[in-house]
Amino acid sequence: MAAVRVIAAANSAETSSAFLYRGQVCLKQRHQSLSFGLRKVVQKRLFSCRALYKPEEIQIKEGQPETLDYRVFFLDHSGKKVSSWHDIPLHLGDGVFNFVVEIPKESSAKMEVATEEQFTPIKQDTKKGKLRYYPAAATHRMRIISLRLPMLLPDMLQHQLEFGLLPQTWEDPSFANSEVEGAFGDNDPVDVVEIGETRAKIGKILNVKPLDALAMIDEGEFDWKIVAISLDDPRASLVNDVDDVEKHFPGTLTAIRDWFRDYKIPDGKPANKFGLGNKPASKDYAVKVITETNESWSKLVKRTIPAGELSLL
């Protein structure tokens, strides 16, 4: 395989800078201001990548589901494999992002992007050579929570939300986040929990808008959980921030947080913790997280940060 080619180029400091990555023209745009309470944070905007790859294109499956060999790859129009992490553009404009489904509703197999394999396909996670599933006890815990909160979506009765990732983001393991107890990044793309009604297949790409962020701390590493909703959902126009989620999906954020806190307990591990006061942060904060992790990803693919065993192909 040819090595990843990254070419850096710079425009005016007042406008934007750009780099070319695997056929994508990535533009780093002007600074912007975000307000958090009484604080105003000036930060850089997202790297907006205009990719040759189009998300509506083909996915192929290799191997049988629930086996060690099972993989879901993405193809371009020529039939060549592309990366589900690096080649799908993140930013679509107007606060809308691409979201890659890893774990659909009504499933318990722990699927994830294989960040260390070429073209980063989606596979089932393993532990000591065995396939991983969400523990039955954790699923039971979500059922109990849901029964106490009868206004939750029916799919929540089996903890079934859509789980996946934001492409072209990365939680840098060398970065200690002072806002999240100084925890370091978990070396993965940013996770998304999509709260809409439709059940998507593994590898489906949805257009979503972020609503809030949960700062999960898993064994000392921060592991952001962005709560979002697909634009195709009938209630998408009603929810634009964390307060709207509580109004139109009452109890959902509490159930999501508690499930992520407790789901490893059946395996004998301690409960996960949450930063930021154990509460979901605002949409603006979620966008801040996406922006920062997108910048970390850009440094990764430009090789200004060591990739270690991560695949950049």
Side-chain angles (χ1 to χ4, degrees):
M1 284 296 164
V4 176
R5 296 173 55 214
V6 181
I7 303 172
N11 293 338
S12 166
E14 292 184 355
T15 54
S16 64
S17 61
F19 66 92
L20 179 65
Y21 176 70
R22 292 165 63 90
Q24 303 175 62
V25 178
C26 300
L27 299 176
K28 181 179 177 183
Q29 302 174 5
R30 294 175 185 265
H31 288 61
Q32 65 178 347
S33 297
L34 296 178
S35 297
F36 304 104
L38 299 178
R39 292 191 301 123
K40 183 171 286 187
V41 177
V42 179
Q43 64 175 54
K44 299 171 185 176
R45 286 186 181 175
L46 291 166
F47 283 85
S48 178
C49 295
R50 185 174 68 252
L52 297 180
Y53 173 74
K54 301 299 182 184
E56 67 269 20
E57 293 180 17
I58 303 170
Q59 296 128 32
I60 60 168
K61 299 176 182 179
E62 297 183 0
Q64 296 298 315
E66 299 190 55
T67 69
L68 295 174
D69 297 327
Y70 183 63
R71 299 290 186 274
V72 178
F73 287 94
F74 291 77
L75 304 180
D76 64 15
H77 282 304
S78 69
K80 294 181 179 179
K81 290 178 180 178
V82 294
S83 169
S84 58
W85 179 18
H86 303 307
D87 290 321
I88 296 171
L90 168 65
H91 192 229
L92 298 174
D94 297 325
V96 180
F97 302 88
N98 277 323
F99 159 60
V100 181
V101 176
E102 294 170 301
I103 306 174
K105 294 180 177 67
E106 302 174 14
S107 62
S108 61
K110 192 177 186 300
M111 309 298 295
E112 62 178 22
V113 163
T115 57
E116 298 179 1
E117 297 183 13
Q118 286 190 1
F119 304 111
T120 62
I122 298 173
K123 69 171 186 177
Q124 189 166 349
D125 190 21
T126 61
K127 183 178 181 180
K128 297 181 179 180
K130 295 183 178 181
L131 298 172
R132 294 185 66 188
Y133 297 84
Y134 284 116
T139 305
H140 179 65
R141 165 70 173 162
M142 179 56 81
R143 290 195 186 101
I144 293 172
I145 293 170
S146 302
L147 291 171
R148 293 173 180 170
L149 299 166
M151 294 300 291
L152 288 178
L153 294 173
D155 281 337
M156 286 290 288
L157 293 175
Q158 295 186 18
H159 83 274
Q160 300 304 344
L161 298 167
E162 223 81 73
F163 295 91
L165 75 139
L166 291 174
Q168 299 185 342
T169 62
W170 179 55
E171 295 173 346
D172 183 356
S174 68
F175 171 65
N177 193 321
S178 60
E179 297 181 359
V180 189
E181 300 185 15
F184 291 85
D186 72 348
N187 204 31
D188 282 327
V190 172
D191 293 332
V192 174
V193 182
E194 197 274 319
I195 63 174
E197 298 176 2
T198 303
R199 182 179 186 268
K201 296 181 179 180
I202 296 173
K204 176 69 175 178
I205 299 173
L206 302 178
N207 300 155
V208 301
K209 58 180 178 180
L211 303 172
D212 60 78
L214 288 165
M216 192 175 91
I217 303 173
D218 182 355
E219 298 183 20
E221 297 177 336
F222 67 80
D223 184 3
W224 292 107
K225 307 298 180 186
I226 302 296
V227 178
I229 190 167
S230 170
L231 297 189
D232 293 332
D233 191 84
R235 285 186 277 185
S237 63
L238 302 177
V239 286
N240 295 291
D241 210 328
V242 60
D243 293 337
D244 296 331
V245 179
E246 189 58 37
K247 178 179 178 181
H248 296 283
F249 296 82
T252 298
L253 293 178
T254 298
I256 292 172
R257 183 200 61 199
D258 290 354
W259 188 82
F260 275 115
R261 182 192 65 199
D262 296 342
Y263 84 97
K264 289 187 176 182
I265 293 177
D267 289 335
K269 294 185 177 181
N272 290 320
K273 300 191 300 180
F274 288 86
L276 304 179
N278 202 38
K279 296 179 180 179
S282 67
K283 175 182 179 177
D284 281 349
Y285 199 98
V287 172
K288 172 179 177 285
V289 168
I290 296 170
T291 302
E292 291 175 349
T293 54
N294 174 241
E295 290 190 348
S296 294
W297 170 84
S298 74
K299 294 175 183 177
L300 177 69
V301 298
K302 287 190 291 184
R303 298 181 184 272
T304 58
I305 294 178
E309 296 181 356
L310 296 175
S311 174
L312 300 184
L313 293 179

